[in-house]
Amino acid sequence: MTQASETRSTCAYCGVGCGVLLRPDGQGGLSVRGDPDHPANLGRLCSKGAALGETLGLDGRLLAPRVAGRDAGWDTALQLVADRFRATIAEHGPESVAFYVSGQMLTEDYYVANKLMKGFIGSANIDTNSRLCMSSSVAGHKRAFGTDTVPGTYEDLEAADLVVLVGSNLAWCHPVLYQRLAAAKAARPGLRVVTVDPRRTATSDLADLHLGIAPGGDVALFNVLLARLDADGATDRPWVDRHVAGYDAALAEALRGDAGEIGVPAGDLEAFLAMWSGTEKVVTVYSQGVNQSAAGSDKVNAILNCHLATGRIGRPGMGPLSVTGQPNAMGGREVGGMANMLASHLDLENPAHRATVRGFWNSGPIPEAPGLKAVEMFRALGDGRIKAIWIIGTNPAVSMPEADAVRAAIAGGAFVVVSDIVETTDTTRLAQVLLPATGWGEKDGTVTNSDRMISRQRGVLPAPGQARPDWAILAEVGRRMGFGAAFDYVSPAEIFREHAALSGLAARLGRDFDISGLTRIDDAAYDAMPPRRWPIAPGQDGGRFFAHGGFYTADRKARMLPLRHRAPVARITPDMPFRLNTGRVRDQWHTMTRTGRAARLSGHIAEPFLEIHPADADALGIAPATLVEVHNTHGRAVLRALLTDRVRRGEVFAPIHWTGETAPSGRIGALLPGAVDPVSGQPELKAAAVALRPFAARWYGFAVSSGALAPAAEYWARARSGTGLRAELAGRAEPADWLAEARALFGLSADIEAVSMAAPAKGLTRLAFVDRGRLVAALFIAPEPVALSRSFLAALPGSAVGAEVLAGRAGGSRIDPGPIVCACFDVGVNTILAAIESEALMTVDSIGEALQAGSNCGSCRPELKRLIAGARLREAAE
Ligand code: SF4
């Protein structure tokens, strides 16, 4: 139930697409809670969604258009964009310009961008950061089903008897789906869960079986499964005969057998095969671990082969389920917002489809061939083939593979326009024209989540400064380029109606995406529109697909494909002996431009890190918590060593979130090659080859400040804290004067009192700056990783403490909570461990009763489970 003054909207982050209820606090902020009526989350939120209200505010917002670094009016900026794009096209042709857009955009924004580029500029050079996220799933769906259809729904997770998670750390990346699955398993312990991942993740802790597969071993695994299904007689031959083509060829290739590439113990493999083969209701969930690969499309089809061979698709509790990373990756797919797609799931290469869209838009000729996909687009920018690019709502200078080369390409681009809500990102710093966009909480439109649910995002806050919605900016440029009436939109509702009408034409051409039932939705109904799963058309209302066949191919049959294992492109060699896997952490999102603003989200993990097996670390002389240099021919990073056997020997893992703004040597994209899947164009982001060596730091530092904190050290990582900023620092050369260094770091003049403690023989220096009895900043230096209580220190700036802060940890009556585990209630690890011990807590729920931790969003429950298990182990050993 909504309360008075609450507005329904949708979370800004992942593809789960949780509904939220928003209430303005009257001071420019919002209170946020889960919408109990939204079918995706039924009131739940994860830590990121729950902290959405803390990510607002004008600090760091881009508030006015800028040209060449100076504020400019909208008229000047938009005329310049229109003129330069028009002149570039006139001189070099439509292929010389490009848009690089984002799965963060709303469907209406995406629709206008795609229409402008493909219909009126006449180029297909529009691609999106969704290319990096799930384009292999699109390609796999299209190859198997004839169109990009997600057959099932989230409810299938609860209806299944076996859920297999492939390349999916659901607990951290799609936490509310994880919570739904965990709740279903708790209610029905017979529901079994298998995780397939080279790395043991927080999600694996829920699993009955974890298959620690070799990187890239997915096709081999599902080929072996297909052969086993056939041998067991678990396939549904009558269904296959009616609805599927390609079974024999796929099986023949599967029988060639490449089980040696899977890399899991025979007993575990057998357990998995028997479980999948013997369970009718099986759902295979997959995400970036499958998609982000040069063999991503084949991996997707290897999974789809098994579901098609058994007919386990489109019925309750059965089917493949691709979960997307971004909030509107699916909406982008629906409007054809990628270089190889046309609107409404129509095909760019199909003349009848092009003619239909051209007629509907009343546009010029639509390009007949795909445009440049993301990796190729930035290479073309770098070598001058692209002479004007407009980047909207994304940060490719960090997030792309070959990120250093991409950053150089953007910096050297002939004409670079960036629309964003944030003033300073690695990408906005390089723009010649900057356009301020409205952000989440301020704009209106729709998004589609991973199970085809279309939900409204609603604006409840006023647009700050001169910010405008992306659709309005794009439409105005379209008008100024001379495309007049085609871009005369006055509202997102009007765009949505046009999008819905086009989908009706697409359906008549035999496409799956059909929301024509909403073509006549009026403004008030659009305003009030509840979440709706497509298709939405006469006689159809959001059901599953394919239980009775009806695929979107010429003969209405699905296709099984013969597939062969392909190893990751980057070779492991004696010079590059480690396989670098990448991914996300629980409480951050993409390049942290939003989640990085919430102090409690940074309290979980405040610094980039490298997971490395203890035996590998030992062999390389890498001690726990020291810094390690990761390098290859593409770039270099310096990361904090986290020794853990959750990664296998020879493999390392690093998160993707840190940027030039937060940890300049933690930009993981700089290490990733631009090798792409030949079908989908998706880059291989989880299988770089790298070498490691200790970073020979002479000193390590930790700093907290209530004001400025501007590191110039060789290594630094900065995060927000509840009282200001905190940073990790390190260097290979020691400054001559730490006091002067600290004043520069904090921007403090000589009249701010400094108290210090130094032990030069031990290389220890500790400095605190106090102004009128309150701590302003403190710096702790040591020759080894600084051992002190970071969460305790981060809470001190601004409070009435003096020299006692130099002890670096709690004393007397002060309590040190330790690093934050539960972001919702700010509960640290020390508090939890103390409660486990003193109150003999044995379950996650009992921790919730004692401390509230884990009782709200549930994102920390896997970590709480691990803390209990660790405490019990220690007890047993005593
Ligand atoms: Fe947002 Fe979390 Fe829901 Fe994803 S799971 S949509 S990040 S609240």
Side-chain angles (χ1 to χ4, degrees):
M1 292 282 286
T2 53
Q3 295 169 3
S5 76
E6 280 186 320
T7 301
R8 289 200 149 88
S9 190
T10 316
C11 176
Y13 300 122
C14 82
V16 178
C18 297
V20 290
L21 295 172
L22 310 179
R23 183 162 44 187
D25 62 11
Q27 292 159 3
L30 290 173
S31 75
V32 180
R33 68 182 179 105
D35 181 351
D37 298 327
H38 195 288
N41 56 318
L42 304 169
R44 298 175 175 99
L45 289 179
C46 76
S47 47
K48 293 185 285 283
L52 269 165
E54 293 155 47
T55 64
L56 306 168
L58 297 188
D59 178 27
R61 278 296 295 265
L62 177 64
L63 296 172
R66 290 208 190 139
V67 174
R70 300 211 171 143
D71 282 3
W74 272 112
D75 187 53
T76 304
L78 292 178
Q79 198 57 47
L80 177 63
V81 174
D83 288 348
R84 283 296 294 267
F85 268 76
R86 208 170 33 199
T88 305
I89 293 162
E91 192 176 348
H92 303 285
E95 304 309 326
S96 65
V97 302
F99 293 168
Y100 186 65
V101 300
S102 164
Q104 301 279 309
M105 292 167 75
L106 304 185
T107 298
E108 292 75 1
D109 304 323
Y110 243 132
Y111 180 89
V112 178
N114 191 51
K115 180 178 178 181
L116 178 57
M117 181 54 81
K118 294 206 181 102
F120 289 83
I121 289 177
S123 164
N125 287 342
I126 173 168
D127 214 41
T128 158
N129 58 11
S130 296
R131 177 72 58 197
L132 278 50
C133 170
M134 50 73 222
S135 55
S136 293
S137 282
V138 175
H141 287 160
K142 288 183 79 169
R143 290 199 300 185
F145 308 147
T147 186
D148 176 24
T149 315
V150 172
T153 70
Y154 293 162
E155 286 77 46
D156 292 323
L157 291 175
E158 283 125 358
D161 293 323
L162 172 64
V163 174
V164 181
L165 297 147
V166 191
S168 168
N169 183 7
L170 213 64
W172 281 20
C173 302
H174 300 93
V176 165
L177 280 191
Y178 170 84
Q179 290 168 37
R180 285 181 65 160
L181 180 61
K185 188 164 167 54
R188 191 162 54 89
L191 164 57
R192 287 162 303 169
V193 174
V194 177
T195 51
V196 180
D197 198 313
R199 172 175 165 252
R200 188 175 276 278
T201 65
T203 311
S204 314
D205 294 347
L206 181 72
D208 300 275
L209 174 67
H210 171 68
L211 291 188
I213 192 174
D218 314 63
V219 169
L221 176 67
F222 283 90
N223 266 351
V224 167
L225 176 61
L226 179 60
R228 174 62 173 267
L229 294 169
D230 186 77
D232 284 357
T235 56
D236 185 343
R237 288 311 300 248
W239 193 87
V240 168
D241 290 344
R242 277 199 305 280
H243 301 304
V244 180
Y247 181 96
D248 292 336
L251 178 64
E253 192 63 51
L255 286 169
R256 284 178 70 256
D258 30 25
E261 308 293 349
I262 302 172
V264 300
D268 288 351
L269 180 60
E270 172 54 31
F272 168 71
L273 297 175
M275 241 189 260
W276 213 105
S277 176
T279 309
E280 175 81 351
K281 289 187 170 180
V282 52
V283 171
T284 309
V285 177
Y286 57 95
S287 58
Q288 276 77 352
V290 166
N291 292 325
Q292 291 179 334
S293 161
S297 304
D298 284 358
K299 292 179 181 182
V300 171
N301 284 104
I303 293 168
L304 301 185
N305 275 353
C306 294
H307 282 278
L308 290 170
T310 51
R312 295 173 188 169
I313 187 167
R315 288 182 281 152
M318 297 179 219
L321 179 63
S322 146
V323 285
T324 63
Q326 301 208 70
N328 200 29
M330 292 280 279
R333 284 147 75 162
E334 290 151 13
V335 301
M338 295 210 274
N340 54 329
M341 301 170 79
L342 198 49
S344 293
H345 285 189
L346 293 165
D347 290 328
L348 207 56
E349 289 98 333
N350 184 314
H353 291 188
R354 287 198 305 274
T356 298
V357 177
R358 181 181 180 179
F360 180 79
W361 282 344
N362 195 19
S363 71
I366 288 175
E368 297 177 12
L372 297 172
K373 298 176 183 134
V375 170
E376 191 52 35
M377 182 181 283
F378 284 99
R379 285 181 180 158
L381 182 66
D383 66 25
R385 281 176 288 152
I386 294 294
K387 299 176 194 314
I389 190 167
W390 188 352
I391 298 165
I392 304 178
T394 182
N395 196 359
V398 181
S399 54
M400 286 290 294
E402 300 174 348
D404 286 350
V406 169
R407 185 170 61 182
I410 299 170
F415 186 59
V416 176
V417 183
V418 178
S419 299
D420 212 306
I421 66 168
V422 179
E423 185 177 24
T424 313
T425 72
D426 292 35
T427 302
T428 60
R429 281 183 183 279
L430 307 174
Q432 289 150 45
V433 179
L434 264 177
L435 304 175
T438 46
W440 179 86
E442 300 154 1
K443 61 184 183 178
D444 272 291
T446 55
V447 291
T448 308
N449 74 0
S450 297
D451 80 342
R452 292 181 274 114
M453 187 73 67
I454 298 173
S455 300
R456 283 292 319 273
Q457 263 195 23
R458 294 182 172 90
V460 293
L461 296 173
Q466 299 180 46
R468 293 182 181 178
D470 287 315
W471 65 264
I473 302 171
L474 283 154
E476 178 63 23
V477 169
R479 291 192 290 270
R480 288 174 187 242
M481 288 181 75
F483 306 129
F487 294 93
D488 227 0
Y489 301 113
V490 295
S491 70
E494 187 184 1
I495 300 165
F496 185 84
R497 284 189 287 270
E498 184 177 313
H499 169 50
L502 179 55
S503 79
L505 298 182
R508 272 186 243 154
L509 290 166
R511 299 288 83 190
D512 60 335
F513 177 71
D514 187 355
I515 57 167
S516 58
L518 298 172
T519 301
R520 291 193 178 77
I521 191 168
D522 63 23
D523 288 1
Y526 176 81
D527 250 7
M529 190 169 83
R532 302 279 305 269
R533 186 183 287 127
W534 65 260
I536 306 162
Q540 300 187 72
D541 197 358
R544 295 179 177 85
F545 282 86
F546 307 141
H548 307 291
F551 295 92
Y552 293 90
T553 54
D555 59 8
R556 303 309 302 264
K557 286 188 171 186
R559 297 288 184 273
M560 286 175 63
L561 301 185
L563 302 164
R564 189 172 294 189
H565 165 80
R566 281 186 282 132
V569 172
R571 296 281 169 219
I572 296 300
T573 64
D575 288 344
M576 296 292 153
F578 286 90
R579 182 70 71 198
L580 171 64
N581 185 3
T582 67
R584 289 145 180 80
V585 300
R586 191 191 76 191
D587 288 353
Q588 296 296 346
W589 174 255
H590 280 195
T591 59
M592 293 168 49
T593 49
R594 188 187 296 277
T595 47
R597 299 164 67 95
R600 66 175 160 138
L601 295 181
S602 292
H604 180 232
I605 295 175
E607 185 185 21
F609 59 88
L610 186 81
E611 288 186 355
I612 177 171
H613 193 280
D616 286 333
D618 197 40
L620 291 166
I622 296 168
T626 58
L627 292 170
V628 52
E629 191 174 343
V630 190
H631 60 99
N632 61 15
T633 51
H634 300 284
R636 165 185 179 273
V638 178
L639 305 166
R640 186 75 59 179
L642 179 61
L643 277 54
T644 171
D645 63 5
R646 297 179 83 83
V647 292
R648 307 179 342 155
R649 287 209 66 178
E651 295 168 17
V652 291
F653 170 87
I656 60 167
H657 307 288
W658 278 268
T659 71
E661 302 294 315
T662 50
S665 56
R667 296 169 63 252
I668 293 305
L671 291 159
L672 305 179
V676 300
D677 180 298
V679 182
S680 70
Q682 180 150 0
E684 185 155 82
L685 302 181
K686 290 178 176 286
V690 296
L692 312 177
R693 58 185 167 231
F695 176 81
R698 286 275 307 274
W699 61 273
Y700 290 83
F702 178 69
V704 293
S705 171
S706 60
L709 204 170
E714 198 175 351
Y715 170 86
W716 60 267
R718 183 176 51 197
R720 288 202 188 194
S721 67
T723 58
L725 294 165
R726 56 183 281 180
E728 301 286 344
L729 312 159
R732 287 184 284 202
E734 195 160 351
D737 179 352
W738 275 117
L739 181 58
E741 191 73 15
R743 288 196 188 279
L745 174 68
F746 300 126
L748 296 176
S749 57
D751 55 348
I752 303 294
E753 179 195 352
V755 289
S756 67
M757 186 182 89
K762 294 182 179 169
L764 296 175
T765 301
R766 296 184 173 191
L767 290 157
F769 294 89
V770 180
D771 188 22
R772 282 164 285 179
R774 301 207 168 261
L775 182 72
V776 176
L779 174 66
F780 300 79
I781 302 295
E784 307 290 340
V786 189
L788 34 75
S789 173
R790 285 162 167 74
S791 48
F792 167 72
L793 289 170
L796 293 185
S799 62
V801 288
E804 69 269 26
V805 71
L806 298 177
R809 52 186 70 253
S813 60
R814 288 184 183 273
I815 295 165
D816 170 17
I820 297 303
V821 174
C822 171
C824 295
F825 295 109
D826 251 347
V827 189
V829 68
N830 294 344
T831 310
I832 295 165
L833 287 172
I836 290 173
E837 198 173 317
S838 65
E839 300 179 40
L841 304 178
M842 302 286 281
T843 64
V844 171
D845 287 338
S846 63
I847 294 178
E849 280 162 28
L851 303 170
Q852 290 186 292
S855 64
N856 184 39
C857 81
S859 297
C860 64
R861 290 174 74 89
E863 281 156 282
L864 297 178
K865 229 167 135 183
R866 230 179 287 157
L867 290 175
I868 294 169
R872 296 287 86 87
L873 271 177
R874 279 194 299 280
E875 249 175 43
E878 279 164 6

